[in-house]
Amino acid sequence: MIILAGDIGGTKTNLALFAIHGDKLARVVRKSFASQDYPSFEPLLREFVVGTTATFTNACFGIAGPVIDGKSKTPNLPWVLDAHELAGVVGVDSVKLINDLEATAYGVLTLDPDEFVTLNDGAAQQESGMAIIAAGTGLGEAIIYWDGGRYHPLASEGGHTDFAPRTSLEMELLRYLITRFGHVSYERVVSGPGLVNIYKFVRDSNYYPEPVWLKERLAEEDPAAVISEVALAEKAEICVKALDLFVCVYGAEAGNLALKAKATRGVHVAGGIAPKIIKKLADGTFMSAFGDKGRFADFLSAIPVQVVLNEDAALLGAAYCAAFRSE
């Protein structure tokens, strides 16, 4: 049996076919598309389907946005998805739409130990709550709860909650962003565009000068990728400071999520950004902010924290959901 799975994001959309072998999945074909190149999801989906000769029986798509009654309007794309209409496009009886972090959670539950990097060993409490946080084009968050027999992902839109600064510098950042956006969510800070927002704050606040060569690169390339690369190589203090502030806020919000989920089984840091900045995530900055919760510092220090290295976790999770979670 063949199933169709997708991970639909603001920057790229990944689609794949998987074959089911018992309780395992084997990828048959995978293609990646630049989401911004398409006016809606339907033509992208048709292009993929036309390009394959395989026959599939059902489909599941993880979407970066809330899913309500089988429909979703993506916050970072001008797309509206309808599960019933998509079923007609691909020629199957039904299509399942789930939040991309719900898909990531399913995927994380299937990964091997070597697909993680540990930031904090902790002491995992078996058969208890978990949490997923993932920064990419946006910021996604999900909770995984244990029902006594198995784990269930619970989607959320936690990345759009109010950004809560912890330090005087972060308070300055909040005031800066309020003048630009009005409402400031965590996604405005902890995401690819969020890193760029932080960089502009550091630059416009005259904390560090912007070298001419860096300004030119930022104008010509993906600015978030450039900032990360330059910061990790320690080639410009302005980038080092921006990435440090980014990781501080990322860790603090991961700690917030851990408290809300009572994630004593563990917190997983997923998404496209984390594997690329693993050196910075592992230097103690992230975990220091994660555990900086006053009377609950000891509670958080016991929670295992791992970075998910497999950037196809959401795609794998959507496939798993289509194959084994039809209810």
Side-chain angles (χ1 to χ4, degrees), residues 158-221:
H160 296 282
T161 57
D162 302 336
F163 167 50
R166 301 178 306 119
T167 67
S168 58
L169 181 63
E170 290 177 11
M171 290 177 187
E172 289 182 41
L173 172 62
L174 175 60
R175 285 191 287 269
Y176 174 86
L177 294 177
I178 285 174
T179 64
R180 296 189 61 203
F181 301 110
H183 175 257
V184 181
S185 66
Y186 271 99
E187 183 170 283
R188 294 290 192 190
V189 183
V190 185
S191 63
L195 177 57
V196 178
N197 289 336
I198 293 173
Y199 174 88
K200 291 178 179 178
F201 158 70
V202 175
R203 180 198 64 195
D204 295 347
S205 300
N206 297 314
Y207 280 108
Y208 298 96
E210 180 182 62
V212 174
W213 61 265
L214 178 57
K215 182 177 181 179
E216 292 173 349
R217 283 197 63 186
L218 292 171
E220 296 170 357
E221 304 172 44

Side-chain angles (χ1 to χ4, degrees), residues 13-41:
T13 292
N14 298 322
L15 298 178
L17 297 178
F18 290 84
I20 303 174
H21 299 293
D23 61 351
K24 302 293 184 181
L25 295 169
R27 193 174 70 193
V28 177
V29 63
R30 176 192 183 280
K31 292 186 179 180
S32 186
F33 303 83
S35 302
Q36 301 287 348
D37 290 348
Y38 297 84
S40 65
F41 180 54

Side-chain angles (χ1 to χ4, degrees), residues 62-214:
I63 175 73
V67 179
I68 301 173
D69 294 330
K71 298 179 182 180
S72 180
K73 183 180 185 302
T74 59
N76 294 314
L77 284 170
W79 292 4
V80 177
L81 284 76
D82 184 304
H84 178 73
E85 293 178 0
L86 293 176
V89 172
V90 299
V92 297
D93 291 336
S94 65
V95 165
K96 192 168 187 177
L97 288 182
I98 62 176
N99 177 263
D100 63 331
L101 261 290
E102 185 179 354
T104 300
Y106 280 122
V108 164
L109 294 173
T110 72
L111 298 181
D112 295 325
D114 63 358
E115 295 180 276
F116 301 95
V117 168
T118 298
L119 300 184
N120 188 54
D121 289 324
Q125 300 295 311
Q126 301 302 313
E127 300 181 355
S128 58
M130 302 167 66
I132 309 281
I133 187 168
T137 304
L139 178 64
E141 300 181 0
I143 292 169
I144 307 175
Y145 69 92
W146 176 256
D147 72 354
R150 65 179 181 179
Y151 283 104
H152 297 268
L154 179 64
S156 85
E157 290 300 323
H160 296 282
T161 57
D162 302 336
F163 167 50
R166 301 178 306 119
T167 67
S168 58
L169 181 63
E170 290 177 11
M171 290 177 187
E172 289 182 41
L173 172 62
L174 175 60
R175 285 191 287 269
Y176 174 86
L177 294 177
I178 285 174
T179 64
R180 296 189 61 203
F181 301 110
H183 175 257
V184 181
S185 66
Y186 271 99
E187 183 170 283
R188 294 290 192 190
V189 183
V190 185
S191 63
L195 177 57
V196 178
N197 289 336
I198 293 173
Y199 174 88
K200 291 178 179 178
F201 158 70
V202 175
R203 180 198 64 195
D204 295 347
S205 300
N206 297 314
Y207 280 108
Y208 298 96
E210 180 182 62
V212 174
W213 61 265
L214 178 57

